Amino acid sequence: MKYLLLWALIGLSVTTHAQTPEAANTAPGQWDASWISPVTNTPHAYGVYLFRKQFSLLNYSGPFIIHLSADNYYRLYVNGRFAGMGPARSDLANWYYETMDISPYLKYGDNSLAIEVINYGPARPQGQFTKGTALLVQGHRSREAAIINTGTTPWRVTEDEAFNLLPVKPGARFYGAFPGDSIVAQYHPWGWEQTAYKDSSWEKAVIVAATVPQGSSAGNGRLLTPRPLGPLFQERQNFSRLVSQQGTAADASFLKGTGAITIPAKRKVSLLLDAGQPTTGFPEMLISGGLDATIHITYKAIADGNATVRDIIRPDGGNRRRISASGYRSFRYVQLDIETGKAPLTLHDYFNVYTQYGLSDKSAFAANAVADSLWNSSKRITLLGAQDNLYNDPFQEQLQYIQDAQIQGLALAFFSGDHQLWRNALLQTDQSRIPEGLVRTRYPSDDRQVTVTAALSWIGAIQDYLLYKSDKALARQVYPGIKSILDWVDRYPDASTGLPGYMPYKDSLPLCPLTAQYLYALRQAALIAGYCDKPGDSLSWSRNADKLREVLYQQCYDADKGWYAEMPGGKSYSRYTNAMLVLAQAVPPRQVKSIMQRLLKEAPSPQESWREKYYIFKAMQETGVTATFPAELQVLLPLQEQQYQSACAVTNIFLLGIMAGIQSTSYGCKTVLIAPDPGESAYVKATMAHPDGGLLEVDLAFKNNRVTGNVKLPFGITGKFRWRNKEITLHGGPQDISL
């Protein structure tokens, strides 16, 4: 069988890196490989390049560990078998390399490494940094290095002229994801990844740069650091139904890959396929014949909606050609428009290779039809964003915004107990710091989008993370960045009010919500300072917050309305601002309940964002004023169509945190509070992953203002169970509840 961008995944689930405990998180004994590239390459131009290395193994046993990276993107085949892709996205000062043991793919005698390297040139995704087309392969030990190192052993390379860009048409919305492909199959060197392929006519790759590990003093090249994340997971995903068809008679067997469609010569055919739910990955097609045919592939979020990304394939007439998209495609519907020429075309199979960070979902939730539907649909959409970064919007942007990553990371940790993507997002945001001291709104991203709001939110994201996962190493690493952000805001007081004033990078927030966010950041930073053994900073930030609280109360509190206005003497109010002030302890304790009740009587503004809802729900959870939460859930149902990852993650977080009532009360989730509010539901069953590897489980029934059931905590975890102002102590292990 011949392959063009092959994933050999028929009916299988695989991870894309053959990692072993010995291979993971290890650096080579010595970096003596070099970055290589084609002789004729224009470093920053679009191109698809195929690299090959042939070698013989006659007396070799044990693991064969390699370290590899590329610019922009690579796919690795070992003896014709797909073995991995990468690198995970980062920046030039933190360029990730993958480490893997490829020994399961090797054999006695002749072997080959075949690596496709793609440079998307000016059309590269917004989150992709580049120094120019290049490949790096380094053997872990001297015996592997002597066989496969780039730069010190010969590698062959050729450009795959089958590929050209299919640019994305500019639209009203910003687009930052992958471009489309235009593929002319007759120019592809079919079978190039197989060991027996003859590459003697290919040119020899040349050295273009030395390897420089992170921490070295060097120029402006790529500074190598190990990939901190686990591997991606891939599996075959069939389309669930055929929405419509014209010019042919396909049936369910085609969707399953068991029944081919043969399209006669001189025929036009259109198929609209439904994946059944939003998805992401690398759609793959298996075709025969069709010389002079044209296949247009259009990816859509909704069936009758406009498409942003398209691929075009022009078959070469060969037998059982397997062709895949070069970059992530996100969609629910795919439209195939096929026009044959002088020869018939057989479409054997078409499916998606679903791709996601390798999470093990351990969570569960059940309460009522509305909540259960929200839980399931929100989880599916949230998981789509778990890639090598936390993508906020796989359809249009595929970028990591810290305000969204805060919410996505928390939800994914609750699902799986895996905090690595979340941790990576926090560190990458720290690495995005501009000279003035603020962090960028989104990163990795080859632009400079900065707001004070996002920078302050990053501090909150760190505190949320630490409440879930105790991680003093991370806290100490990011601590200087926390100080620089708070110092920045403190430099710009308003002389007339004493509150934060005009400052560069200030977004459109009015005075009161900006102050509320700053107050909240001060409170959270004070807690982080205590955790990092910085009592002086902790006390200073707490005192600053207390002073600002008094000024804000005098300037913005409306005694007649019973809550805070957006501006001093103003007449506009928002639920978000008042929720933030409750969280920031800016509201006198005796007024917290009344402000929350007043807040929740207000209808949500049409402009209330998902990010704002996160803080409103968090204020409900922390104050225990949760009676309106079931009604708030009803508002979320139509908003699911927006399909933003953070938007849906909010739902999952607070179904667990409010209806099931599970919340951490100390760093590392060492103590917990279970304070359920089931609304009208007669029961709540929920499971949340604990960072130490166990599960937090509740199985509760509610009747006549009473609660019965059981709670199970991991051993070593303690807490409280609260119901109608009554509390009982919880311990590790299972325990019955009756209140």
Side-chain angles (χ1 to χ4, degrees), residues 196-422:
Y197 184 84
K198 304 301 182 184
D199 59 17
S200 57
S201 63
W202 292 16
E203 68 182 27
K204 292 182 179 179
V206 296
I207 295 173
V208 290
T211 52
V212 183
Q214 190 187 57
S216 303
S217 177
N220 60 349
R222 312 169 195 89
L223 302 183
L224 292 165
T225 189
R227 175 191 179 110
L229 306 168
L232 297 177
F233 167 85
Q234 295 188 315
E235 66 177 357
R236 177 183 173 121
Q237 185 182 66
N238 290 330
F239 287 89
S240 64
R241 69 187 180 103
L242 187 59
V243 179
S244 64
Q245 57 180 313
Q246 297 176 4
T248 189
D251 57 25
S253 63
F254 168 67
L255 299 179
K256 298 176 183 177
T258 58
I261 302 172
T262 297
I263 303 169
K266 303 292 185 179
R267 181 74 62 88
K268 292 183 179 181
V269 167
S270 182
L271 302 170
L272 182 60
L273 306 174
D274 179 8
Q277 61 192 40
T279 189
T280 190
F282 299 85
E284 185 173 304
M285 180 176 289
L286 180 63
I287 57 177
S288 292
L291 185 64
D292 297 328
T294 302
I295 303 170
H296 289 260
I297 306 173
T298 305
Y299 304 96
K300 300 182 177 184
I302 55 177
D304 58 352
N306 295 325
T308 304
V309 184
R310 296 175 174 85
D311 295 325
I312 297 176
I313 300 170
R314 293 177 174 82
D316 68 336
N319 186 44
R320 301 186 71 83
R321 302 300 206 199
R322 193 175 294 274
I323 304 173
S324 174
S326 71
Y328 281 102
R329 301 289 182 258
S330 298
F331 57 92
R332 173 167 176 174
Y333 299 92
V334 175
Q335 183 168 320
L336 303 179
D337 293 302
I338 304 172
E339 183 174 358
T340 54
K342 298 178 181 179
L345 170 71
T346 298
L347 182 55
H348 299 283
D349 200 3
Y350 186 61
F351 59 93
N352 182 40
V353 180
Y354 177 72
T355 304
Q356 179 202 302
Y357 177 72
L359 296 168
S360 176
D361 183 15
K362 305 170 185 176
S363 64
F365 182 89
N368 58 55
V370 171
D372 296 356
S373 175
L374 278 167
W375 170 266
N376 292 323
S377 59
S378 294
K379 180 188 283 189
R380 286 196 300 268
I381 295 170
T382 300
L383 288 170
L384 292 185
Q387 301 297 329
D388 54 11
N389 290 148
L390 286 170
Y391 289 168
N392 73 311
D393 172 13
F395 290 85
Q396 289 285 134
E397 297 192 19
Q398 296 179 5
L399 290 169
Q400 181 170 260
Y401 288 76
I402 186 54
Q403 291 171 281
D404 295 312
Q406 171 183 14
I407 300 170
Q408 293 168 253
L410 183 59
L412 294 170
F414 284 178
F415 296 160
S416 65
D418 188 328
H419 61 281
Q420 292 301 325
L421 272 173
W422 192 7

